[in-house]
């Protein structure tokens, strides 16, 4: 048996020779391991350097991000708003806010209407009432077994913009209250019995009906979600939908299961009642509602409603039987101008400013001074963040570029070319004059910026504050991109970090001025329309779905123009006018995005809009502006012209040209500003393919990969050497064991031969002695 043979995976070393061959192999392998250890140490050094450069890259990008908050003119136009008495009103300023001071006086807060039933026995007993009522445009059905509780549940699940609540004050003292979800007089609850008189029986309404919402010489219905869908489907009415309404003594038959607001308007207009009906639309917070308006020539028409159909849509409404709180508008004044608001949050009185009214009554008005000023605190914070981000780079580089004078050990960035290039470029950019700027302030040094003995960026706050107070626009131009043109019809809009300033004026050459799309009627309207007419708008301007506008019966050309211009959807897209007696509809936008078409459901005639069916109106398509900036190609979109990607100087530079002339129309002197220059510089440094920080990091990765490859090869060689040594020493042990076995055999043989000879000699002596005797 071999003395070194493996048994169950275990190798016995040196059993034959008595030598610890495994120890010898291990020490030989340790000598071979040293080159691998050296490479691993080298890899660790490179990895540490790579990690340091990665952190440098992160710090540089953070610096660019800090600069982004100072890179546009809007960043220096932010307005801070304060209220001298925050118990009277709170104020916030947003985009579009301008500096100013206002004296606010609040004489009343907006409230939501709240009504209640008369006292009932309890909240759970059946009321033995049945019927249907409408509340805020939603039908509620009541059966005899319903209690105050189940009626409240039905109201709250109907979708009406109200909240029904219960008050249980004990036997004979229980109430159902209904509160509007919105404040203001215009948001008073619309409620009317359709059948059964439930609201009247509960004491919520009482007496005869009258006009609910008065308008000039007329009345307006509650707003519904469509002008063309059947009223019954909109209200959720399934019964009692047909009947008669009376306007100025004229009976008009309607059926809400089929009639829409528009068809009811048409019936009124063709009834001979002398009243005019139209459907008006209103958009609030993105939601459009449609109301029926019925007016007289000089006074409000008279109404009769035997089937409660005018009440169902809110033209008429009975008085409130038990009103706990009236729906009221907020009343306030700004600098003596009296104003009202349906909400206590006022967003339209001061552009870009939101006021929240908190206190004030007619008998005890409350006042506060509203101050709007440049948000210097916010600007200073952004500047300080910019400074801190730069100093973070300086501190990190200094910490990781040191050399110990005693041990001569160095930081991971010591002598790194990329680090030196980054810090050199950034520091140089901060104190260079901004190309294209002239005047008092053209660089950061003039604003109080400097570098201390450690290379950190510092700011003399007094100098900066003085500059911001005396010439805030010049300060903004040092940091943020800007443009000044020789033609008021050329305006700088925006730019990117790829737009570059050369300090020279950029020539603007226009080959095509932007135009608007328009549609002109083929026939001039001279008499009122004897039938309602539908105009359908479609095209890029309108969106993915066509938009239909119905012109009422007896509409004149002036009324058609007014209806188009007041429509909540169309008024933001087009403007209607009359030219040479013909209706002209013109887009408000410019360019290809302004294109639209409009057709009528009637052939063009002198007693309608004259738009006519497909192909009758003259449609002119809008075109985009076209031209060059600084001699470089640009792409037009409406009136906006933007330098194409890849341009040497104007990549992403956008201007607006509002003129109609073509050719050389002027020039623009563009200044990128320091913050934008920093963003551009950092973008180049960290570009995924060409940035030198990126390339430096890739170089580290390549070195690490190469070292790992060398380590793998050396380890493979070492493994082979271990196997070879193990095999050689095993052979040696086998040979020694064999020699030992042979030696043992010889010894045994010799011992046996010697014993035999001794025995023979003894026997001979014994025999001789016996014979001789």
């Amino acid at each position: 048996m071999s003395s070194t043979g493996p048994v169950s995976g275990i190798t016995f070393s040196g059993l034959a020779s008595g030598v610890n061959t495994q120890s010898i192999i291990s020490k030989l392998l340790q000598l071979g391991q040293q080159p691998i250890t050296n490479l691993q140490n080298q890899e660790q050094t490179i990895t540490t350097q790579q990690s340091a450069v990665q952190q440098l890259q992160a710090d540089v990008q953070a610096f660019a991000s800090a600069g982004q908050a100072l890179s546009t003119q809007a960043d220096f136009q932010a307005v801070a708003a304060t209220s001298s008495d925050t118990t009277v009103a709170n104020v916030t300023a947003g985009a579009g806010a301008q500096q100013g001071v206002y004296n606010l006086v609040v004489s009343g807060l907006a409230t939501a209407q709240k009504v209640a039933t008369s006292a009932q026995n309890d909240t759970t007993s059946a009321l033995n009432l049945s019927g249907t009522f409408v509340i805020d445009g939603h039908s509620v059905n009541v059966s005899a077994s319903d209690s105050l509780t189940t009626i409240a549940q039905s109201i709250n699940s109907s979708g009406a913009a109200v909240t029904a609540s219960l008050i249980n004050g004990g036997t004979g003292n229980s109430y159902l209250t209904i509160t509007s979800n919105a404040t203001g007089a215009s948001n008073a609850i619309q409620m009317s019995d359709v059948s059964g008189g439930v609201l009247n029986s509960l004491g919520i309404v009482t007496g005869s009906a009258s006009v609910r919402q008065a308008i000039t010489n007329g009345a307006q219905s509650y707003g519904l979600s469509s002008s063309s869908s059947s009223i019954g489907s909109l209200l959720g009415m399934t019964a009692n939908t047909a009947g008669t309404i009376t306007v100025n003594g004229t009976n008009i038959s309607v059926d809400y299961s089929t009639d829409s607001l528009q068809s009811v308007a048409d019936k009124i207009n063709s009834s001979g009642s002398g009243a005019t009906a139209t459907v008006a639309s209103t958009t609030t917070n993105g939601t459009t509602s449609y109301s029926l308006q019925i007016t007289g020539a000089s006074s409000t028409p008279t109404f009769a409603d035997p089937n409660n159909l005018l009440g169902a849509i809110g033209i008429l409404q009975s008085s409130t039987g038990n009103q706990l709180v009236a729906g009221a508008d907020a009343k306030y004044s700004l600098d003596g101008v009296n104003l009202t608001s349906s909400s206590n949050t006022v967003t339209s009185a001061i552009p870009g400013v939101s006021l929240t009214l908190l206190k004030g009554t007619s008998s005890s008005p409350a006042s506060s001074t509203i101050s709007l000023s440049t948000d210097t605190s916010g600007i200073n914070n952004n500047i300080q963040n910019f400074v801190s981000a730069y100093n973070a780079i300086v501190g990190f580089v200094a910490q990781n570029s040191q050399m110990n004078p005693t041990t001569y050990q160095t930081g991971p960035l010591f002598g790194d070319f990329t680090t030196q290039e980054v810090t050199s470029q950034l520091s140089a950019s901060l104190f260079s004059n901004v190309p294209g700027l002239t005047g008092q302030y053209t660089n950061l040094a003039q604003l109080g910026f400097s570098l201390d003995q450690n290379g950190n960026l510092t700011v003399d706050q007094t100098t900066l504050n003085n500059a911001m107070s005396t010439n805030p626009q010049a300060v903004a131009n040092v940091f943020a991109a800007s443009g000044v043109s020789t033609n008021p019809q050329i305006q700088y809009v925006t730019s990117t970090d790829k737009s570059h300033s050369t300090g020279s004026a950029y020539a603007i050459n226009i080959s095509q001025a932007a135009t608007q799309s328009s549609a002109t009627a083929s026939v001039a309207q001279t008499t009122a329309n004897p039938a309602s007419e539908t105009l359908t708008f479609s095209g890029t301007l309108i969106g993915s779905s066509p938009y239909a506008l119905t012109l009422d019966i007896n509409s004149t050309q002036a009324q058609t123009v007014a209806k188009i211009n007041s429509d909540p959807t169309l008024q933001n897209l087009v403007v209607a006018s009359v030219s040479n007696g013909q209706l002209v509809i013109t887009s408000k936008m410019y360019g290809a995005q302004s294109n639209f078409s409009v057709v009528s459901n009637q052939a063009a005639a002198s007693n309608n809009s004259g738009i006519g069916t497909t192909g009758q109106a003259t449609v002119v398509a809008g075109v985009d502006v076209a031209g060059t900036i600084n001699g470089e190609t640009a792409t037009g979109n409406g009136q906006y012209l933007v330098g194409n990607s890849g341009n040497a100087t104007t990549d992403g530079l956008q201007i607006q040209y509002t003129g109609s002339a073509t050719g050389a129309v002027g020039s623009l002197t563009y200044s990128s500003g320091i913050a934008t220059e920093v963003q551009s510089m950092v973008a180049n440094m960290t570009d995924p393919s060409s940035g030198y920080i990126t390339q430096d990091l890739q170089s580290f990765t390549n070195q690490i990969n190469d070292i790992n490859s060398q380590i793998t090869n050396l380890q493979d060689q070492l493994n082979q050497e271990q196997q070879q040594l193990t095999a050689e020493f095993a052979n040696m042990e086998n040979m020694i064991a064999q020699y030992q076995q042979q030696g043992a055999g010889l010894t045994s043989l010799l011992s046996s031969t010697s014993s035999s000879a001794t025995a023979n000699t003894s026997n001979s002596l014994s025999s001789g002695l016996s014979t001789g005797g």
Side-chain angles (χ1 to χ4, degrees):
M1 174 179 175
S2 171
S3 62
T4 59
V7 178
S8 300
I10 300 175
T11 300
F12 297 95
S13 173
L15 293 181
S17 65
V19 177
N20 188 346
T21 59
Q22 191 63 42
S23 176
I24 295 173
I25 294 172
S26 177
K27 290 179 179 180
L28 290 172
L29 292 177
Q30 285 177 7
L31 293 175
Q33 181 68 32
Q34 190 58 50
I36 294 177
T37 301
N38 293 339
L39 286 172
Q40 289 172 334
N41 292 337
Q42 183 181 352
E43 179 184 4
Q44 182 58 50
T45 299
I46 295 173
T47 300
T48 302
Q49 292 175 324
Q50 185 182 46
S51 296
V53 174
Q54 286 173 333
Q55 183 58 52
L56 175 64
Q57 180 183 45
D59 288 345
V60 166
Q61 290 172 328
F63 181 46
S65 295
Q68 188 172 9
L70 298 167
S71 62
T72 69
Q73 294 293 318
D75 295 324
F76 291 85
Q77 295 169 355
V79 170
T82 59
S83 171
S84 64
D85 191 339
T86 54
T87 67
V88 175
N90 289 328
V91 59
T92 57
Q98 302 293 321
Q99 297 181 52
V101 179
Y102 302 85
N103 181 38
L104 170 68
V105 178
V106 182
S107 55
L109 296 179
T111 55
Q113 185 186 28
K114 176 179 281 191
V115 298
T117 64
S118 56
Q120 303 296 312
N121 191 53
D122 56 48
T123 61
T124 58
S125 297
L127 296 170
N128 294 317
L129 298 174
S130 60
T132 299
F133 61 85
V134 173
I135 185 163
D136 275 2
H138 293 78
S139 293
V140 176
N141 298 313
V142 178
S143 61
S145 61
D146 280 328
S147 63
L148 289 183
T149 298
T150 54
I151 292 176
Q153 292 170 345
S154 296
I155 292 173
N156 289 334
S157 62
S158 68
V162 298
T163 300
S165 306
L166 297 170
I167 299 175
N168 188 354
T171 303
N173 198 29
S174 295
Y175 299 86
L176 167 67
T177 65
I178 305 173
T179 307
S180 174
N181 290 345
T183 58
S186 62
N187 293 313
I189 303 168
Q190 180 258 328
M191 47 192 173
S192 176
D193 281 315
V194 176
S195 64
V198 174
L199 295 178
N200 192 280
S201 298
L202 291 174
I204 295 177
V205 297
T206 185
S208 58
S210 59
V211 171
R212 175 182 175 272
Q213 186 174 350
I215 58 175
T216 302
N217 295 331
Q220 177 172 296
S221 75
Y222 185 81
L224 301 180
S225 60
S226 172
S227 63
S228 57
S229 299
S230 70
I231 295 172
S233 66
L234 299 175
L235 298 179
M237 291 175 59
T238 57
N240 304 301
T241 57
T244 300
I245 61 174
T246 303
V247 180
N248 283 340
T250 301
N251 293 330
I252 304 166
S253 297
V254 296
D255 185 347
Y256 284 177
S257 66
T258 55
D259 277 326
S260 63
L261 287 178
Q262 187 60 56
S263 63
V264 171
D266 292 343
K267 288 182 176 181
I268 293 172
N269 289 332
S270 60
S271 67
S273 65
T276 298
T278 188
V279 177
S281 56
T282 304
T283 299
T284 304
N285 297 326
T287 301
T288 301
S289 62
Y290 301 86
S291 301
L292 178 65
Q293 294 181 342
I294 307 174
T295 58
S298 58
S299 61
T300 300
T302 61
F303 300 102
D305 192 21
N307 303 115
N308 295 326
L309 296 174
L310 290 176
I313 60 174
I315 291 288
L316 302 179
Q317 183 165 310
S318 297
S319 301
T320 302
N322 188 14
Q323 180 169 268
L324 304 180
V325 179
D329 291 337
K331 296 180 180 180
Y332 65 102
S333 66
L334 286 170
D335 291 343
V337 178
N338 293 324
L339 301 166
T340 62
S341 170
S342 62
S343 170
N344 290 315
T345 300
V346 181
T347 58
S348 59
I350 305 174
V353 174
S354 176
L355 288 169
T356 301
L357 308 180
L358 301 173
K359 184 175 72 174
T361 63
S362 58
S363 59
S364 182
S367 62
S368 178
T369 300
I370 304 300
S371 301
L372 306 173
S373 59
T374 300
D375 186 11
T376 54
S377 175
I379 295 170
N380 277 321
N381 285 339
N382 290 337
I383 290 175
Q384 188 55 53
N385 291 337
F386 184 74
V387 170
S388 297
Y390 177 80
N391 291 341
I393 297 173
V394 173
F396 180 77
V397 170
Q399 181 181 0
N400 289 274
S401 299
Q402 296 177 346
M403 181 181 71
N404 189 309
T406 302
T407 64
Y408 298 105
Q409 289 184 335
T410 60
L413 296 180
F414 181 81
D416 182 67
F417 172 78
T418 297
T419 301
Q420 296 172 356
E421 189 72 12
V422 168
T423 54
S424 174
Q425 285 194 20
L426 290 180
S427 61
S429 69
L430 291 179
F431 292 97
S432 299
N433 284 329
V434 178
L437 284 188
T438 58
Q440 184 178 5
Y441 302 118
T442 59
N443 59 53
L444 285 182
Q446 295 166 340
L447 298 179
F449 289 77
S450 62
L451 295 177
D452 66 13
Q453 61 183 3
N454 295 318
N456 287 313
L457 187 60
T458 64
V459 186
D460 185 327
Q461 200 62 50
T462 301
T463 302
L464 178 61
N465 288 344
N466 181 63
M468 290 177 64
S469 62
T470 58
N471 198 341
Q473 185 59 60
V475 174
N477 290 345
V478 170
F479 284 96
S482 61
V484 178
S485 73
T486 58
N487 182 344
Q489 295 175 327
I490 300 172
Q491 295 293 324
Y492 164 78
V493 178
T494 188
S495 57
T496 71
D497 56 19
K498 296 183 179 180
S499 309
H500 299 293
S501 173
T502 63
S504 302
Y506 291 170
I508 309 299
N509 192 290
I510 302 298
S511 57
Q512 174 179 276
T515 60
Q516 297 159 286
S517 177
S518 65
T520 303
S522 59
V523 177
Q525 182 177 0
T526 56
T527 59
N529 195 340
S532 63
E533 179 183 4
T534 299
L535 299 180
T536 301
F537 294 79
S538 60
T540 304
L541 179 68
I542 306 302
S544 57
S545 300
Y547 183 79
L549 176 71
T550 300
L551 306 176
D552 303 308
I553 293 175
N554 298 325
S555 291
T556 63
Q557 189 177 65
Q559 290 171 325
T560 295
V561 169
K563 187 154 191 177
I564 292 173
N565 290 337
S566 63
D567 182 83
T569 296
L570 294 176
Q571 67 181 353
N572 299 316
L573 302 174
V574 299
V575 59
S577 60
V578 176
S579 177
N580 297 321
Q582 294 166 295
L583 175 67
V584 179
I585 305 172
T586 306
S587 66
K588 288 188 173 182
M589 293 177 62
Y590 283 78
Q593 295 296 314
S594 74
N595 291 335
F596 74 96
S597 63
V598 56
V599 295
S600 171
N601 63 337
Q602 299 174 4
S606 60
N607 64 352
N608 60 28
S609 68
I611 290 294
T613 55
T614 302
Q616 289 193 283
T618 300
V619 176
V620 176
V623 297
D624 296 317
V625 65
T628 60
I629 306 173
N630 197 33
E632 297 175 349
T633 57
T635 300
N637 184 359
Q639 294 180 317
Y640 297 92
L641 195 62
V642 59
N644 288 348
S645 175
N647 285 354
T649 60
T650 62
D651 186 337
L653 177 62
Q654 187 180 67
I655 65 167
Q656 182 183 23
Y657 177 60
T658 58
S660 57
T662 57
V665 296
S667 64
L668 177 84
T669 300
Y670 169 66
S671 169
S672 56
I674 287 174
T676 305
E677 282 296 317
V678 165
Q679 287 181 287
S680 176
M681 190 177 301
V682 171
N684 289 332
M685 292 176 180
T686 59
D687 184 273
S689 58
S690 62
Y692 56 78
I693 292 181
T694 305
Q695 292 175 345
D696 198 24
L697 291 172
Q698 185 59 51
S699 174
F700 288 133
T701 299
N702 292 341
Q703 292 178 61
I704 291 170
N705 290 340
D706 181 62
I707 289 173
N708 284 330
S709 178
Q710 293 182 55
I711 290 174
T712 299
N713 291 335
L714 288 174
Q715 189 64 58
D716 288 343
Q717 293 174 15
L718 203 59
N719 291 339
Q720 292 175 3
E721 185 175 352
Q722 180 181 17
Q723 294 172 2
Q724 183 177 351
L725 288 171
T726 300
E728 289 177 350
F729 275 102
N731 289 335
M732 181 191 76
E733 291 289 338
N734 287 334
M735 291 178 67
I736 291 173
Q738 290 174 8
Y739 291 150
Q740 287 174 340
Q741 288 176 352
Q742 291 175 3
L746 289 173
T747 301
S748 176
L749 178 62
L750 291 173
S751 175
S752 175
T753 304
S754 175
S755 296
S756 176
T758 301
N760 291 333
T761 301
S762 176
N763 289 334
S764 296
L765 287 175
S766 295
S767 176
L769 289 176
S770 176
T771 303

